[in-house]
Amino acid sequence: MKRLTVFWFPFSCSFLYRFLHTGVMSDVHVTEHLARIGILLDYSSGRLLFFNAERGLVLFAIRHKFTDAAYPAFALEKAGVLTLCTGMELPEFVKHS
């Protein structure tokens, strides 16, 4: 799988999340600050989802046939704090999709 990059831009009344994958840029505007973003990789079904972890709303999804191992990597462009939580319970919207 090619690299997927996510950018976050705060504005006065909204927030922009920009997803860049295989040269295609997708913009998602939200009106609330997301304190937690969930990432769900369903390797066998070929789905990668980014979602609002509090409300269970999907921000971005891609389909990809995985043939090799997937290696997550996280980085901050500027100094700050990034907290990773693993082993979250599956959100209800995923259980029923």
Side-chain angles (χ1 to χ4, degrees), residues 16-28:
L16 169 66
Y17 291 86
R18 179 165 283 166
F19 297 87
L20 177 61
H21 179 252
T22 61
V24 177
M25 194 168 306
S26 301
D27 289 347
V28 177

Side-chain angles (χ1 to χ4, degrees), residues 1-80:
M1 178 181 195
K2 304 230 186 248
R3 182 182 313 177
L4 171 73
T5 306
V6 181
F7 300 96
W8 173 73
F9 303 98
F11 294 104
S12 60
C13 297
S14 66
F15 301 89
L16 169 66
Y17 291 86
R18 179 165 283 166
F19 297 87
L20 177 61
H21 179 252
T22 61
V24 177
M25 194 168 306
S26 301
D27 289 347
V28 177
H29 294 270
V30 295
T31 56
E32 62 182 314
H33 173 69
L34 304 181
R36 292 175 50 202
I37 296 177
I39 303 170
L40 175 68
L41 171 62
D42 185 341
Y43 190 93
S44 59
S45 295
R47 293 190 309 169
L48 178 63
L49 303 172
F50 290 79
F51 59 94
N52 175 335
E54 274 85 34
R55 298 184 188 266
L57 302 172
V58 175
L59 299 170
F60 183 74
I62 61 170
R63 289 208 168 268
H64 181 80
K65 182 177 178 176
F66 296 98
T67 56
D68 295 314
Y71 299 99
F74 302 93
L76 297 175
E77 186 174 75
K78 297 179 181 177

